[in-house]
Amino acid sequence: MPELDGAEALYDLGFGPAQLIARPLVAWSLSDTGVCAGMIAFDGELVRVDALGSRFKGYVDAASGAVSRTPPNYVDASLRASHGHFSQGPERVALTSPESNGHRVAVYRAGDWQFKRVIGWRLNAAGEAAPLVEQISTLTDPPMLRRVDGRKLRGYAGIVDPIQAAQLSADGPIEARFIGLRRLYLI
């Protein structure tokens, strides 16, 4: 389920006692064990917030600024209702979710950064999520959405937000706080 209210996940990445990092949530997920959690861009992939273990400190409500260790009640209820509806058939459903935070796929080739705006996210039947970007093949063909597979895209560096993309474009420093980039590209 897409995150459309601007909620963020807070992390302690060891930069100091009062320096928590906030990352925008891309979506909400419900695991096979029934646990609801947000998803963020991390190490070039879309992962559940609990993938970083004890470094995850909670969710920030964009409207109130309140911090909570658990997802909002409406998220849990919505995911369970959706799961109940879609799990009645014999086959698993692949879903597409819109992107609302301005994320970009970062590609590093020949010493130059290139960025493609993420249009949405594709969740396949195996539970893997990947960004969808616009691909234009010719001047006469309409644009198509293409699922990005970081294992196959040459120079794939990860997923960044608009501020990070601007910093990389300006040859600014790559910081350990760019947790959406693959570790290979972090200093």
Side-chain angles (χ1 to χ4, degrees):
M1 179 173 93
E3 166 46 40
L4 302 174
D5 296 327
E8 296 179 317
L10 283 179
Y11 289 94
D12 180 356
L13 298 177
F15 296 119
Q19 292 193 13
L20 296 179
I21 304 299
R23 295 301 309 143
L25 290 177
V26 173
W28 296 99
S29 67
L30 186 65
S31 70
D32 289 339
T33 59
V35 177
C36 177
M39 298 185 80
I40 62 164
F42 177 74
D43 195 22
E45 298 179 33
L46 198 60
V47 299
R48 290 172 53 92
V49 296
D50 48 16
L52 288 168
S54 63
R55 292 182 175 193
F56 172 66
K57 299 302 177 190
Y59 300 101
V60 179
D61 181 295
S64 69
V67 177
S68 171
R69 290 284 298 165
T70 60
N73 290 336
Y74 74 88
V75 170
D76 191 69
S78 295
L79 284 173
R80 290 185 191 288
S82 295
H83 179 266
H85 174 76
F86 288 110
S87 63
Q88 293 178 9
E91 69 281 338
R92 293 187 67 164
V93 178
L95 302 172
T96 301
S97 172
E99 162 57 29
S100 61
N101 295 316
H103 283 97
R104 281 136 173 85
V105 168
V107 177
Y108 192 72
R109 291 187 187 142
D112 196 26
W113 287 102
Q114 299 169 8
F115 304 96
K116 286 192 171 265
R117 189 170 68 91
V118 176
I119 305 296
W121 302 91
R122 180 79 172 157
L123 177 67
N124 66 19
E128 299 167 338
L132 293 170
V133 297
E134 189 174 68
Q135 178 177 336
I136 301 172
S137 57
T138 67
L139 293 175
T140 59
D141 290 339
M144 298 178 0
L145 290 183
R146 174 179 168 223
R147 182 179 186 273
V148 174
D149 184 344
R151 298 167 297 210
K152 296 179 182 174
L153 180 62
R154 187 174 58 89
Y156 176 75
I159 302 164
V160 295
D161 63 35
I163 294 169
Q164 293 169 337
Q167 186 170 336
L168 292 171
S169 291
D171 291 326
I174 301 172
E175 305 169 6
R177 297 169 190 203
F178 284 31
I179 65 174
L181 284 180
R182 295 170 113 179
R183 288 186 184 106
L184 164 72
Y185 295 92
L186 298 178
I187 320 178

